PDB file of all heavy atoms in Angstrom:
ATOM      1  N   THR A 182      10.166  50.867  11.525  1.00 97.00           N
ATOM      2  CA  THR A 182      10.931  49.657  11.243  1.00 97.00           C
ATOM      3  C   THR A 182      11.875  49.382  12.409  1.00 97.00           C
ATOM      4  O   THR A 182      12.788  50.158  12.674  1.00 97.00           O
ATOM      5  CB  THR A 182      11.756  49.793   9.943  1.00 97.00           C
ATOM      6  OG1 THR A 182      10.870  50.094   8.858  1.00 97.00           O
ATOM      7  CG2 THR A 182      12.499  48.496   9.642  1.00 97.00           C
ATOM      8  N   LEU A 183      11.635  48.290  13.128  1.00 97.00           N
ATOM      9  CA  LEU A 183      12.488  47.938  14.261  1.00 97.00           C
ATOM     10  C   LEU A 183      13.857  47.484  13.787  1.00 97.00           C
ATOM     11  O   LEU A 183      13.993  46.892  12.714  1.00 97.00           O
ATOM     12  CB  LEU A 183      11.842  46.805  15.074  1.00 97.00           C
ATOM     13  CG  LEU A 183      10.484  47.082  15.721  1.00 97.00           C
ATOM     14  CD1 LEU A 183      10.017  45.839  16.465  1.00 97.00           C
ATOM     15  CD2 LEU A 183      10.549  48.265  16.665  1.00 97.00           C
ATOM     16  N   SER A 184      14.884  47.747  14.581  1.00 96.00           N
ATOM     17  CA  SER A 184      16.210  47.221  14.259  1.00 96.00           C
ATOM     18  C   SER A 184      16.191  45.707  14.442  1.00 96.00           C
ATOM     19  O   SER A 184      15.398  45.178  15.238  1.00 96.00           O
ATOM     20  CB  SER A 184      17.264  47.836  15.187  1.00 96.00           C
ATOM     21  OG  SER A 184      17.083  47.395  16.524  1.00 96.00           O
ATOM     22  N   PRO A 185      17.005  44.948  13.708  1.00 94.00           N
ATOM     23  CA  PRO A 185      17.045  43.485  13.862  1.00 94.00           C
ATOM     24  C   PRO A 185      17.291  43.052  15.305  1.00 94.00           C
ATOM     25  O   PRO A 185      16.714  42.062  15.770  1.00 94.00           O
ATOM     26  CB  PRO A 185      18.201  43.064  12.946  1.00 94.00           C
ATOM     27  CG  PRO A 185      18.245  44.125  11.886  1.00 94.00           C
ATOM     28  CD  PRO A 185      17.895  45.403  12.613  1.00 94.00           C
ATOM     29  N   TRP A 186      18.118  43.797  16.025  1.00 95.00           N
ATOM     30  CA  TRP A 186      18.430  43.473  17.429  1.00 95.00           C
ATOM     31  C   TRP A 186      17.180  43.558  18.298  1.00 95.00           C
ATOM     32  O   TRP A 186      16.867  42.632  19.052  1.00 95.00           O
ATOM     33  CB  TRP A 186      19.498  44.444  17.932  1.00 95.00           C
ATOM     34  CG  TRP A 186      19.819  44.339  19.395  1.00 95.00           C
ATOM     35  CD1 TRP A 186      20.591  43.395  20.005  1.00 95.00           C
ATOM     36  CD2 TRP A 186      19.373  45.232  20.431  1.00 95.00           C
ATOM     37  NE1 TRP A 186      20.667  43.643  21.363  1.00 95.00           N
ATOM     38  CE2 TRP A 186      19.926  44.761  21.651  1.00 95.00           C
ATOM     39  CE3 TRP A 186      18.572  46.382  20.452  1.00 95.00           C
ATOM     40  CZ2 TRP A 186      19.703  45.404  22.872  1.00 95.00           C
ATOM     41  CZ3 TRP A 186      18.350  47.018  21.662  1.00 95.00           C
ATOM     42  CH2 TRP A 186      18.910  46.530  22.842  1.00 95.00           C
ATOM     43  N   LEU A 187      16.431  44.658  18.184  1.00 96.00           N
ATOM     44  CA  LEU A 187      15.225  44.827  18.992  1.00 96.00           C
ATOM     45  C   LEU A 187      14.117  43.893  18.516  1.00 96.00           C
ATOM     46  O   LEU A 187      13.351  43.361  19.322  1.00 96.00           O
ATOM     47  CB  LEU A 187      14.753  46.282  18.940  1.00 96.00           C
ATOM     48  CG  LEU A 187      13.520  46.611  19.794  1.00 96.00           C
ATOM     49  CD1 LEU A 187      13.731  46.223  21.260  1.00 96.00           C
ATOM     50  CD2 LEU A 187      13.172  48.099  19.675  1.00 96.00           C
ATOM     51  N   TYR A 188      14.040  43.671  17.209  1.00 96.00           N
ATOM     52  CA  TYR A 188      13.033  42.761  16.670  1.00 96.00           C
ATOM     53  C   TYR A 188      13.205  41.351  17.245  1.00 96.00           C
ATOM     54  O   TYR A 188      12.243  40.708  17.643  1.00 96.00           O
ATOM     55  CB  TYR A 188      13.140  42.731  15.146  1.00 96.00           C
ATOM     56  CG  TYR A 188      12.237  41.728  14.474  1.00 96.00           C
ATOM     57  CD1 TYR A 188      10.889  41.996  14.277  1.00 96.00           C
ATOM     58  CD2 TYR A 188      12.745  40.499  14.028  1.00 96.00           C
ATOM     59  CE1 TYR A 188      10.052  41.071  13.660  1.00 96.00           C
ATOM     60  CE2 TYR A 188      11.916  39.574  13.413  1.00 96.00           C
ATOM     61  CZ  TYR A 188      10.577  39.863  13.230  1.00 96.00           C
ATOM     62  OH  TYR A 188       9.756  38.950  12.630  1.00 96.00           O
ATOM     63  N   GLU A 189      14.449  40.877  17.304  1.00 95.00           N
ATOM     64  CA  GLU A 189      14.720  39.553  17.882  1.00 95.00           C
ATOM     65  C   GLU A 189      14.276  39.480  19.329  1.00 95.00           C
ATOM     66  O   GLU A 189      13.677  38.491  19.766  1.00 95.00           O
ATOM     67  CB  GLU A 189      16.221  39.231  17.795  1.00 95.00           C
ATOM     68  CG  GLU A 189      16.694  38.814  16.429  1.00 95.00           C
ATOM     69  CD  GLU A 189      18.170  38.431  16.438  1.00 95.00           C
ATOM     70  OE1 GLU A 189      18.765  38.345  17.540  1.00 95.00           O
ATOM     71  OE2 GLU A 189      18.734  38.226  15.347  1.00 95.00           O
ATOM     72  N   LEU A 190      14.560  40.519  20.089  1.00 96.00           N
ATOM     73  CA  LEU A 190      14.178  40.553  21.500  1.00 96.00           C
ATOM     74  C   LEU A 190      12.656  40.521  21.658  1.00 96.00           C
ATOM     75  O   LEU A 190      12.124  39.828  22.529  1.00 96.00           O
ATOM     76  CB  LEU A 190      14.740  41.805  22.172  1.00 96.00           C
ATOM     77  CG  LEU A 190      16.235  41.794  22.493  1.00 96.00           C
ATOM     78  CD1 LEU A 190      16.713  43.196  22.853  1.00 96.00           C
ATOM     79  CD2 LEU A 190      16.530  40.831  23.629  1.00 96.00           C
ATOM     80  N   CYS A 191      11.959  41.254  20.818  1.00 96.00           N
ATOM     81  CA  CYS A 191      10.498  41.311  20.907  1.00 96.00           C
ATOM     82  C   CYS A 191       9.845  39.978  20.526  1.00 96.00           C
ATOM     83  O   CYS A 191       8.791  39.627  21.060  1.00 96.00           O
ATOM     84  CB  CYS A 191       9.954  42.419  20.003  1.00 96.00           C
ATOM     85  SG  CYS A 191      10.264  44.097  20.606  1.00 96.00           S
ATOM     86  N   CYS A 192      10.475  39.261  19.619  1.00 96.00           N
ATOM     87  CA  CYS A 192       9.888  38.007  19.126  1.00 96.00           C
ATOM     88  C   CYS A 192      10.309  36.777  19.924  1.00 96.00           C
ATOM     89  O   CYS A 192       9.758  35.700  19.740  1.00 96.00           O
ATOM     90  CB  CYS A 192      10.246  37.807  17.656  1.00 96.00           C
ATOM     91  SG  CYS A 192       9.483  39.018  16.550  1.00 96.00           S
ATOM     92  N   ALA A 193      11.296  36.920  20.816  1.00 94.00           N
ATOM     93  CA  ALA A 193      11.749  35.785  21.619  1.00 94.00           C
ATOM     94  C   ALA A 193      10.626  35.342  22.555  1.00 94.00           C
ATOM     95  O   ALA A 193       9.921  36.161  23.149  1.00 94.00           O
ATOM     96  CB  ALA A 193      12.990  36.158  22.415  1.00 94.00           C
ATOM     97  N   LYS A 194      10.453  34.047  22.687  1.00 92.00           N
ATOM     98  CA  LYS A 194       9.352  33.492  23.480  1.00 92.00           C
ATOM     99  C   LYS A 194       9.416  33.960  24.932  1.00 92.00           C
ATOM    100  O   LYS A 194      10.445  33.862  25.594  1.00 92.00           O
ATOM    101  CB  LYS A 194       9.398  31.962  23.426  1.00 92.00           C
ATOM    102  CG  LYS A 194       8.195  31.298  24.087  1.00 92.00           C
ATOM    103  CD  LYS A 194       8.244  29.790  23.912  1.00 92.00           C
ATOM    104  CE  LYS A 194       7.015  29.129  24.547  1.00 92.00           C
ATOM    105  NZ  LYS A 194       7.058  27.656  24.387  1.00 92.00           N
ATOM    106  N   GLY A 195       8.302  34.482  25.418  1.00 92.00           N
ATOM    107  CA  GLY A 195       8.208  34.902  26.803  1.00 92.00           C
ATOM    108  C   GLY A 195       8.998  36.139  27.158  1.00 92.00           C
ATOM    109  O   GLY A 195       9.213  36.422  28.341  1.00 92.00           O
TER     110      GLY A 195
END
Side-chain angles (χ1 to χ4, degrees):
T182 303
L183 298 180
S184 68
W186 174 78
L187 182 56
Y188 175 79
E189 283 183 8
L190 284 167
C191 288
C192 293
K194 187 176 181 180

